[in-house]
Amino acid sequence: MTTLDDRAELIELISRYADIADLKEFTTLPDRVFTDALTLDFGSVTGMPEMTIPLTDYVEVLRAGFAPFKATHHAITGHVVEIDGDTAKIHAHVRAEHWLPDADRWLVVGFYDNEAVRTPDGWRLTRVRLTAIHQENQPELVTAAN
C-alpha cells in the first residue's frame, strides 16, 4: 500500500534533484538523489542517446555542464507519483531557466518522467528522462559536445 510519506519523500527527492544544479551543490546532494549507476535521457535537449553512467562520472558531467551558468532555476511542479512496492514513477512538469554571463536566458519547458527505487537510505532516482516541448535561446555549448 502506498503511503503519503512515500509520495512526500519522492516529491522532495525531485526538489533535491533541482537543487543540485540550482545551488551548484555537487558534493553531498547527488548521493542523496541518485543510485549508482543511473540511466539518463536528455536527448530532446542535447541530441545525445540515452545512457547508463556511474554516479561519480555523472557528478563530473553536472559540475562541468553547469559551470558556465551564473544562475539556473528549475521549477518542477504537477507531480504525478505511481508507487509499486519499492519502485516508483514520477511524472512532473518543468520550467528550467539558465543564465550565461552577457547572454540571453535559455529556457527549457517540458516534462520529467523519472523512476526511483527504495534503498536502505531512502528513495533514489535510478532513471531521469527529460522531454523538452519548448526551448528558447539554446546556447551552442549544450550541443557542442555532440
Side-chain angles (χ1 to χ4, degrees), residues 64-79:
F66 283 96
F69 297 103
K70 65 181 180 180
T72 62
H73 184 258
H74 292 73
I76 304 174
T77 63
H79 302 82

Side-chain angles (χ1 to χ4, degrees), residues 93-143:
H93 301 249
V94 61
R95 178 184 175 97
E97 300 180 76
H98 312 73
W99 291 270
L100 286 164
D102 303 320
D104 290 330
R105 171 203 55 162
W106 171 35
L107 172 67
V108 179
V109 177
F111 303 98
Y112 278 112
D113 287 290
N114 298 340
E115 297 175 12
V117 296
R118 188 189 319 263
T119 74
D121 297 319
W123 289 98
R124 298 294 187 267
L125 293 176
T126 187
R127 184 174 193 274
V128 175
R129 179 175 175 227
L130 171 62
T131 303
I133 59 171
H134 177 75
Q135 292 190 68
E136 295 174 6
N137 304 312
Q138 184 184 52
E140 288 184 25
L141 63 92
V142 174
T143 57

Side-chain angles (χ1 to χ4, degrees), residues 34-53:
F34 301 112
T35 59
D36 183 24
L38 66 146
T39 301
L40 305 165
D41 184 353
F42 296 109
S44 68
V45 174
T46 65
M48 294 174 64
E50 180 180 293
M51 70 179 82
T52 300
I53 185 171

